[in-house]
Amino acid sequence: MIGTATECAALQRAGRRAFAGFRLTTLATTASTQDVVRTAARGGAAPGYSCVADAQLAGRGRQGRRWTTPPGTALLCSVLVRVDHSRLGGVPIAAGLAARAAVAATSGYSPRLKWPNDLLAGQGKLAGVLCEVEPAAPGAAAAVVIGLGVNLRVDAFGAQVAGASLHALVAQPPAPAVLFAAFLGELAVRLDGLRAAGMAALRDEWLAHAAGIGETVTAHSAAGDVTGTAEGIDEDGALLVAAGGSLLRVLAGDVHIGLPPTSR
């Protein structure tokens, strides 16, 4: 269950305040909340269409990775938003900021952000965000499905997974319904700022909570690996890395804070 009847009713109210077209599908088990919302997006669903599940059989993160947690131990949700194509690059940044703020507001724990939107607790990954774009009609706003997974009560992670769980950090983690309600409100605020002012509305907040800025990072992307100093983000949400006398833009990929293991 994602929450008590009272918590679920509060989620419905928060969703409607955040998105006029809010509609929530709640499932015990699904392959992926992303797939549920992507299907709805293709059918013309309004911004705010959302799905929450207790368990996913084929949850995924960025770069095709699987997101796996025991049933009932995490917030697993997806929400549909629509933005102009010129603002698409800012959506992952806005989503990460909203997730961080929601965790802080509902638990008292303030995670850091690793580009573009992983939530870190120490060196462990507390939450991940996946943004996927659905095709839109010419001239129409882009449909973006934002998936969020937050470890709330995960007791153990795989041997190769540097994970973190909120229950090890605070006395009482929020119910999934409470956290999702906070996320929807925080997301709506940041999307409004993005639409009005672009990345300028988000950059200072992102930098204030970012991990690795001013430090050595190694970025792994389709264009190859680069090691340098993380300098910030640009108007498209790309990570700026100073390396070899140049300022390089990393548009997509993974970032490791510190030198690559083979260089140590």
Side-chain angles (χ1 to χ4, degrees):
M1 296 294 291
I2 66 168
T4 65
T6 299
E7 290 165 344
C8 290
L11 168 58
Q12 291 284 349
R13 292 192 296 271
R16 289 191 292 269
R17 286 194 299 270
F19 297 94
F22 176 75
R23 176 186 166 194
L24 179 64
T25 295
T26 303
L27 301 171
T29 303
T30 186
S32 168
T33 60
Q34 282 290 97
D35 293 340
V36 173
V37 179
R38 291 186 73 173
T39 298
R42 295 183 200 117
Y49 181 92
S50 302
C51 179
V52 178
D54 284 331
Q56 295 184 130
L57 302 179
R60 61 184 180 274
R62 292 196 312 276
Q63 310 298 312
R65 295 188 181 89
R66 294 197 59 175
W67 179 278
T68 304
T69 58
T73 63
L75 169 62
L76 304 169
C77 62
S78 297
V79 57
L80 171 65
V81 303
R82 296 185 186 271
V83 299
D84 290 341
H85 288 266
S86 63
R87 302 300 200 213
L88 271 178
V91 175
I93 301 298
L97 287 170
R100 193 216 67 81
V103 168
T106 57
S107 75
Y109 182 81
S110 184
R112 303 286 282 173
L113 282 163
K114 181 167 76 74
W115 183 88
N117 48 31
D118 283 347
L119 270 60
L120 299 183
Q123 300 301 312
K125 183 174 177 178
L126 178 64
V129 179
L130 175 66
C131 297
E132 297 180 307
V133 180
E134 281 295 310
V144 186
V145 179
I146 300 172
L148 172 63
V150 183
N151 297 322
L152 297 177
R153 297 181 180 275
V154 182
D155 289 323
F157 298 90
Q160 303 302 315
V161 177
S165 179
L166 200 55
H167 81 302
L169 304 167
V170 300
Q172 183 63 42
V178 172
L179 181 54
F180 189 39
F183 173 68
L184 290 170
E186 300 286 359
L187 180 62
V189 168
R190 284 157 184 82
L191 289 176
D192 285 346
L194 178 65
R195 294 184 182 102
M199 195 62 69
L202 308 175
R203 184 183 286 108
D204 286 350
E205 183 187 5
W206 189 87
L207 289 172
H209 299 288
I213 299 302
E215 300 179 31
T216 298
V217 300
T218 299
H220 309 282
S221 70
D225 294 351
V226 59
T227 297
T229 303
E231 299 288 346
I233 54 176
D234 69 6
E235 284 299 314
D236 294 320
L239 180 67
L240 300 175
V241 180
S246 299
L247 193 61
L248 307 177
R249 300 171 70 246
V250 179
L251 282 166
D254 289 332
V255 170
H256 174 82
I257 300 174
L259 290 170
T262 56
S263 300
R264 295 176 181 174

